[in-house]
Amino acid sequence: LPMPGIDLNAPGPLELQRRIAAAAAVVLVTPEYHGSFSSVIKLAIENMGFPSPMAGKPVGLLGVAAGVIGAIKSLEALRGVVSHVGALPLPMPVSVANVQSVFDASGNCLDPAIEKHIRRLASSVLDYLGDHVCPRVTLERIMREGLAATLSE
């Protein structure tokens, strides 16, 4: 991805924008660096342009850190940026502390409690889609095509 504001029409930013626009929801994962989120996440958000294709979409947040307090500060900062671009940061972000001892070399979670929190994050995203997005899409289709056309499928 290019530096912010340089060329949003380059292949990298265009592909990122296309993928995010096509997604029903987004999960952003970041390590915590010096009390904030990764510059790579910020670069990705900037390369989505404005208005952001994340606008109006639910966003789950997951942060990891080597320290004992986890990624609390990075998740707070990322929540603000996600909200600023019009996305809907979901409640209950997941912060993984001591990340170097939580996952094995293949990426498998070694801590059942942490795995439960990560699965809860995924469930939260799916529940939001099921409770809020799917009914809205169905209602819009009924209004555009009529109830009979919608039910015939």
Side-chain angles (χ1 to χ4, degrees):
L1 295 171
M3 293 299 292
I6 299 298
D7 187 5
L8 293 178
N9 294 315
L14 286 175
E15 178 63 13
L16 176 63
Q17 294 163 21
R18 184 193 67 74
R19 287 183 181 210
I20 297 298
V26 177
V27 176
L28 295 178
V29 182
T30 185
E32 182 162 300
Y33 290 122
H34 303 291
S36 189
F37 52 88
S38 152
S39 61
V40 175
I41 290 289
K42 180 66 167 153
L43 183 62
I45 291 169
E46 295 303 327
N47 272 276
M48 287 182 213
F50 197 84
S52 174
M54 281 197 307
K57 294 181 189 285
V59 177
L61 301 174
L62 172 65
V64 298
V68 295
I69 65 166
I72 302 299
K73 294 179 99 177
S74 65
L75 291 170
E76 288 174 354
L78 187 54
R79 175 180 291 283
V81 172
V82 165
S83 192
H84 182 80
V85 299
L88 307 168
L90 296 176
M92 305 297 287
V94 175
S95 172
V96 178
N98 298 312
V99 68
Q100 67 280 9
S101 63
V102 174
F103 298 95
D104 67 17
S106 299
N108 299 306
C109 189
L110 303 172
D111 184 329
I114 297 294
E115 183 173 352
K116 181 179 177 182
H117 289 300
I118 294 169
R119 289 183 181 277
R120 186 200 69 222
L121 175 66
S123 293
S124 172
V125 171
L126 293 173
D127 289 347
Y128 186 90
L129 290 173
D131 293 345
H132 301 286
V133 176
C134 293
R136 187 177 70 217
V137 169
T138 302
L139 180 60
E140 181 177 332
R141 185 167 180 212
I142 289 170
M143 296 304 291
R144 290 184 188 278
E145 300 174 15
L147 183 58
T150 303
L151 294 176
S152 67
E153 292 184 13

